[in-house]
Amino acid sequence: MAVVAPARLAFASPAAVLGAVRGAATSASTRLSWVCGGGRLGATAGRAAAASPTTRRRLSPAAGGGGVRGLRGAAATGAVDMRWVKENVEVVKANAAARCVAVDVDRVVSLYDAYLSLVIETDETRRQRNVVANRMKTEAAKMTPDVRTAVVAEGKALKASVTTLEGRLSAAEAAFLAEAAKLPNLTHPDVPTGGEEAATTLRTVGMARDFAADGMAPRSHVDIGADLDLFDFEAAARVAGNKFYYLKNAGALLELALVNWAMSRVASRGFTPMTAPDVAREEVVAGCGFAPRGEASQVYRLEDSDLCLVGTAEIPLGGMYAGQVLAPAVLPLRLAAFSHCFRREVGAAGTATRGLYRVHQFSKVELFVIGRPEESEALHAELLALEEEMYTALGLCYRVLDMPSGDLGNPAYRKYDIEAWMPGRGEGGAWGEISSASNCTDFQARRLGIRYREEVAEANGDADSDSGSSSSSVGSVKGAMRYAHTLNATACAVPRMIVAILENNVQPDGSVVVPEVLRPFMGGMEAIRPQ
């Protein structure tokens, strides 16, 4: 389900805004990476992370990774490559403007420089303190009283300075991380520029039903469900508030059928079926690119804890591999998880969102893939093809959209949405989003610390310093450590599937034809009829 977009910025000329960004993206088209070097860790950072891939360690921002700390338990290398940002400030600004992301890039750079300066100053003061401490250990017995007094005073002053500097450093780091977290991913060169209205329709599959030919008018799922006793919004509002619902009778069976069918379908295509926690720590939510705090946040937070209700299984699935170094043999890693999803839906209202279309809690089967950078575009196409296969099997009329820069949010490099025709939505019917498929490149992997180590042939000579690999004919050795790419796609968002099925399959007698692929999961039921 769509999340309310952040406050939009005025769009500049598409050519002016995205020219530089697309040039940068094209020059790295084989890597599709937010960071220079295809997401590889710098040599220093790579060695530190390899030594303890799940231990949080502070590295100097001058180390190869860039310097922004990852979440608890993740490698401490850069969630944002500040070296790349500083070398491409205008590109980063243009990209943020095109994506309607409110971030002050100059302030990010300024805060980073201030943080880096304090790191250097703090480290130097610690070094001086240690020199004095070592001097007291080795020379105290030989010192005159005056010298000893002076050295003790110097040590106390340095200790106090370190304490002060560490406090300033912590504050500087927090300020820098808060602003740097707003930086969005880069944008695929083929993404259209603009707001939601600029989405490009790639194809339309199927034909909208001719209700007049069937001697009836389209009906809303709200009315259909009421006649068939499928759900109860009034009781749910008394219990939990607006935008909650009870599913009843065949409505409950339809949800279970959709979930079981979707899981069976994707499992047969090589996805590992899973269930996932419905809560995640704030740092995991933020690591996936979602804002856990703020007025515009769509995230429910649990009071007196650092836990949030998840809006998608993408969050716990990404968090599952935070701080991990994956073996190349397991990639691409294909996961499919059922979970409940919770969204505040701030600002969402109107007749087009009534009923089941936009709710605070719903069930969903989500696909999540971790792969190598060079294969992420092919994996993105694979996810989209699987979604289309499933919606075709349900008999839906749908269209595929290449979503524009202003509708990508922060994590996605490119996103395809699929909208089904919903004849009872609004006045005269409308398209309604039922899924999305996003390639997030290394945006989430850098923040979560999801990496893999390349395996390369054993070299007879020196390794290639740029790729971290070497060419040879014998054996294999450990190659460079790289950030993986992550992708996600909706297999089945249950409420909107129910909306589409009810409104497209309702019959003149008020019954609803059950899609053939769902019948084995509903005890052979061919139609939902009034009781």
Side-chain angles (χ1 to χ4, degrees):
M1 295 188 177
V3 174
V4 177
R8 295 184 179 272
L9 305 179
F11 288 114
S13 161
V17 171
L18 279 185
V21 177
R22 288 176 170 172
T26 302
S27 68
S29 59
T30 60
R31 297 192 289 257
L32 304 179
S33 176
W34 172 220
V35 296
C36 56
R40 295 177 182 83
L41 301 178
T44 303
R47 285 192 294 271
S52 181
T54 57
T55 302
R56 184 173 182 167
R57 299 179 60 181
R58 181 189 294 277
L59 297 182
S60 164
V68 181
R69 211 162 47 186
L71 82 158
R72 180 190 311 160
T77 49
V80 177
D81 186 343
M82 285 305 300
R83 181 181 302 158
W84 192 92
V85 171
K86 291 182 70 172
E87 292 173 353
N88 298 273
V89 169
E90 294 307 316
V91 172
V92 176
K93 287 180 179 179
N95 182 62
R99 294 171 70 111
C100 305
V101 174
V103 56
D104 187 337
V105 179
D106 290 328
R107 177 169 167 76
V108 173
V109 172
S110 175
L111 289 171
Y112 174 73
D113 288 341
Y115 167 61
L116 179 57
S117 177
L118 277 170
V119 167
I120 294 170
E121 184 179 357
T122 303
D123 286 347
E124 173 59 20
T125 306
R126 288 195 192 104
R127 187 193 66 78
Q128 294 176 14
R129 178 198 61 188
N130 293 340
V131 168
V132 172
N134 288 333
R135 185 181 176 192
M136 285 296 297
K137 289 179 182 178
T138 59
E139 303 177 20
K142 303 176 185 179
M143 292 179 183
T144 66
D146 290 344
V147 171
R148 181 184 177 88
T149 300
V151 173
V152 170
E154 182 183 9
K156 289 181 178 179
L158 287 169
K159 182 179 180 180
S161 294
V162 168
T163 300
T164 300
L165 285 168
E166 286 178 340
R168 291 172 57 197
L169 177 61
S170 179
E173 181 183 37
F176 164 56
L177 289 175
E179 196 66 26
K182 300 175 185 177
L183 291 170
N185 202 346
L186 283 179
T187 307
H188 191 287
D190 294 338
V191 165
T193 305
E196 187 177 358
E197 69 287 347
T200 300
T201 301
L202 300 180
R203 55 189 165 274
T204 301
V205 178
M207 296 288 293
R209 179 179 168 187
D210 184 353
F211 281 86
D214 293 332
M216 62 178 295
R219 298 179 62 197
S220 164
H221 74 279
V222 176
D223 298 328
I224 299 168
D227 289 347
L228 296 175
D229 197 21
L230 302 184
F231 32 66
D232 190 331
F233 294 104
E234 291 183 4
R238 292 195 303 270
V239 171
N242 292 329
K243 298 186 184 296
F244 288 92
Y245 58 94
Y246 286 100
L247 290 179
K248 302 165 55 181
N249 302 313
L253 295 178
L254 186 56
E255 165 160 326
L256 296 173
L258 282 164
V259 170
N260 280 285
W261 168 74
M263 289 293 274
S264 299
R265 190 92 172 200
V266 299
S268 71
R269 299 295 293 272
F271 285 79
T272 300
M274 302 180 64
T275 60
D278 290 340
V279 296
R281 298 185 186 280
E282 284 189 23
E283 57 199 4
V284 176
V285 175
C288 289
F290 299 92
R293 295 175 179 268
E295 291 183 5
S297 174
Q298 299 296 330
V299 178
Y300 284 108
R301 293 177 55 251
L302 302 186
E303 190 174 3
D304 298 327
S305 82
D306 66 344
L307 294 175
C308 303
L309 298 178
V310 300
T312 168
E314 166 192 348
I315 295 170
L317 290 180
M320 182 179 181
Y321 291 93
Q324 302 297 308
V325 178
L326 302 175
V330 306
L331 300 178
L333 192 62
R334 296 177 173 88
L335 309 173
F338 166 79
S339 77
H340 298 103
C341 305
F342 302 86
R343 300 184 185 178
R344 293 175 60 207
E345 297 295 359
V346 176
T351 58
T353 63
R354 65 193 289 255
L356 293 175
Y357 189 82
R358 196 178 300 281
V359 291
H360 289 313
Q361 176 186 340
F362 59 96
S363 301
K364 179 160 69 84
V365 175
E366 180 78 358
L367 307 178
F368 188 76
V369 179
I370 302 174
R372 297 175 179 83
E374 58 270 19
E375 63 189 3
S376 66
E377 279 206 293
L379 290 168
H380 197 196
E382 175 190 313
L383 289 172
L384 178 60
L386 178 54
E387 287 180 319
E388 289 195 67
E389 175 188 303
M390 295 176 71
Y391 304 143
T392 298
L394 289 172
L396 301 180
C397 170
Y398 65 85
R399 64 180 183 178
V400 181
L401 305 177
D402 193 353
M403 298 308 290
S405 58
D407 199 60
L408 294 178
N410 273 23
Y413 175 70
R414 191 176 197 179
K415 182 176 73 164
Y416 299 118
D417 277 5
I418 295 181
E419 296 181 339
W421 178 249
M422 299 178 179
R425 185 174 178 228
E427 300 295 330
W431 294 101
E433 181 190 344
I434 57 173
S435 77
S436 64
S438 299
N439 182 0
C440 297
T441 62
D442 63 356
F443 183 90
Q444 294 174 328
R446 288 181 64 84
R447 285 153 178 77
L448 294 171
I450 304 173
R451 303 173 303 255
Y452 71 97
R453 186 182 292 282
E454 292 180 317
E455 286 185 352
V456 295
E458 186 176 355
N460 292 324
D462 294 334
D464 185 316
S465 61
D466 175 63
S467 65
S469 62
S470 52
S471 59
S472 179
S473 54
V474 215
S476 73
V477 295
K478 289 184 177 180
M481 195 140 63
R482 304 179 70 187
Y483 286 109
H485 278 196
T486 63
L487 304 94
N488 63 82
T490 311
C492 180
V494 170
R496 293 194 183 181
M497 287 289 98
I498 292 177
V499 170
I501 289 170
L502 294 183
E503 293 187 358
N504 283 287
N505 292 12
V506 64
Q507 302 301 303
D509 64 357
S511 65
V512 173
V513 174
V514 176
E516 189 171 347
V517 294
L518 297 182
R519 293 174 189 176
F521 301 92
M522 293 187 69
M525 186 185 298
E526 296 182 359
I528 302 171
R529 305 183 185 281
Q531 296 186 1

